[in-house]
Amino acid sequence: MFPDIQSSTPEQVAAMTDRARQVTRLNIEALQALERTIDASLARACDVILSRPGYVVVTGMGKSGHIGGKIAATLASTGTNAFFVHPAEMSHGDLGMLRHDTTLLAISASGESRELRDPLTFCQRNRIPVIGMTQRSNSLLARMSEVPLIMPNVAEACPNGLAPTTSTLMTLALGDALAMVLMDRRAFTAQDFGLHHPGGSLGMSLQSVREWMGDVYSPPPGIPETASFAEIVSAITEGRKGAVAVLAEDGVMTGMITDGDVRRAFSNDIAAVKAADIMSRSPITAQPDQRMSDVVDLLTANKISNVFVVEDGKPVAIIHVAELMQAGYIS
């Protein structure tokens, strides 16, 4: 398809493969070194964050900043309010984001990034605690941190020792460790996680049925047990969900009738058929507080195309598999 692309020789392929494996091996060794050096400082960092009502402000320069952005996003999505601010922007007015109740999480492998000097000095003057991630225990960042998180000083995978590779991977892993420990301390649940992730398939699966229904969801079609065959067909057609709820006089759902039940009823004298004669008396139903992932499992496991949502015995909605596919709940 692309004739202008030249293929590497077998020797070059072998050399590139070996190099890629070497880089991966160096990263693994760096993470193993990090694991060995994690100590009570991480717990102390968590204590500082948990004792402060304000945001965790994450900052870092260059590649450390990119990793810091990801750490801030992970913290924010797992129960710890956090956001990233570029250190240079702090020196030009954004130091105002460092309120008296915040915590600064500063990242620098060398601990000497000159862009960090202004935010570190500001925090020291205003008694804002700093958690510093660095590889050098005697650096400016470590000295000005309430809790220095010292990472091992391992070689970069870059042959020149310049491009951050193993150091950024360790920083990312240490940030994940901090976020997960905080998540545990906060007893952050799957339901909490879903509130922070309303979009995408993950967020949708963690939504409750009630959230999926929304405030303006139309009530499902319903008929009395005495409804005639014509009334059954009319109600299913009007509802356009392939099913209708059969209701007692008090509105409690006593059964349901599907398109399939209607087709099977043609073998009888349909003039005499009533809803009570062909309805399923123990239909599978869902509750408003169930997760949408549970509803998908119900439909899949039972090989059915729709399910009524019932609250206090009364149907409040009907979910059809086609709607879930259209909305992205089922791929």
Side-chain angles (χ1 to χ4, degrees):
M1 186 179 295
F2 300 101
D4 55 327
I5 297 178
Q6 296 182 350
S7 299
S8 300
T9 66
E11 291 78 12
Q12 290 172 324
V13 170
M16 288 187 287
T17 302
D18 287 343
R19 176 58 175 151
R21 289 172 177 167
Q22 181 192 36
V23 172
T24 303
R25 188 163 54 250
L26 289 170
N27 281 328
I28 292 171
E29 292 170 357
L31 290 177
Q32 290 172 334
L34 174 66
E35 181 185 13
R36 290 192 295 268
T37 58
I38 290 178
D39 57 19
S41 297
L42 188 133
R44 173 63 179 156
C46 290
D47 288 340
V48 170
I49 292 172
L50 291 168
S51 66
R52 309 281 292 174
Y55 282 80
V56 175
V57 180
V58 185
T59 192
M61 192 67 193
K63 304 299 187 297
S64 293
H66 295 306
I67 297 298
K70 190 274 179 186
I71 292 174
T74 300
L75 288 168
S77 68
T78 54
T80 299
N81 293 328
F83 59 89
F84 177 83
V85 182
H86 194 284
E89 298 293 341
M90 286 192 184
S91 297
H92 293 272
D94 285 355
L95 281 173
M97 296 182 181
L98 292 171
R99 296 161 48 109
H100 70 280
D101 58 355
T102 59
T103 303
L104 179 67
L105 175 59
I107 305 169
S108 170
S110 69
E112 300 293 347
S113 297
R114 62 179 180 272
E115 292 85 0
L116 291 179
R117 291 179 180 269
D118 287 342
L120 290 176
T121 301
F122 181 87
C123 287
Q124 193 171 57
R125 288 174 180 170
N126 292 276
R127 300 181 61 80
I128 297 170
V130 175
I131 298 170
M133 290 186 179
T134 180
Q135 288 181 293
R136 298 182 182 178
S137 59
N138 61 347
S139 63
L140 174 70
L141 175 55
R143 295 195 306 271
M144 298 187 72
S145 294
E146 175 72 20
V147 184
L149 298 177
I150 308 301
M151 298 176 289
N153 192 7
V154 300
E156 299 285 5
C158 170
N160 299 315
L162 298 175
T165 48
T166 54
S167 60
T168 50
L169 181 62
M170 287 191 299
T171 304
L172 180 62
L174 186 57
D176 283 344
L178 181 67
M180 295 302 100
V181 173
L182 285 167
M183 185 178 178
D184 292 344
R185 285 286 302 273
R186 296 183 190 279
F188 195 78
T189 66
Q191 287 81 1
D192 297 326
F193 196 82
L195 291 175
H196 289 241
H197 296 77
S201 58
L202 174 63
M204 290 190 295
S205 68
L206 291 170
Q207 267 191 329
S208 71
V209 173
R210 194 184 304 278
E211 290 167 339
W212 177 81
M213 289 164 51
D215 297 328
V216 293
Y217 199 86
S218 301
I223 55 173
E225 295 186 4
T226 56
S228 66
F229 189 79
E231 290 170 327
I232 296 169
V233 173
S234 176
I236 293 177
T237 303
E238 183 181 343
R240 298 192 297 182
K241 294 291 181 67
V244 63
V246 182
L247 310 176
E249 291 184 2
D250 58 0
V252 170
M253 183 173 173
T254 58
M256 70 177 287
I257 298 174
T258 66
D259 284 334
D261 296 321
V262 170
R263 288 192 297 271
R264 287 185 288 273
F266 276 105
S267 61
N268 303 316
D269 179 8
I270 60 174
V273 167
K274 302 297 182 185
D277 300 327
I278 61 173
M279 71 180 185
S280 300
R281 295 185 177 274
S282 300
I284 296 168
T285 59
Q287 302 296 318
D289 294 325
Q290 279 185 273
R291 293 185 200 169
M292 287 302 294
S293 59
D294 295 332
V295 174
V296 172
D297 290 343
L298 274 177
L299 294 170
T300 304
N302 294 281
K303 298 180 180 180
I304 54 178
S305 59
N306 44 43
V307 62
F308 278 93
V309 182
V310 176
E311 187 171 28
D312 297 327
K314 298 179 180 180
V316 293
I318 182 171
I319 302 174
H320 195 280
V321 66
E323 292 177 303
L324 300 184
M325 293 178 67
Q326 185 177 13
Y329 287 90
I330 301 175
S331 58

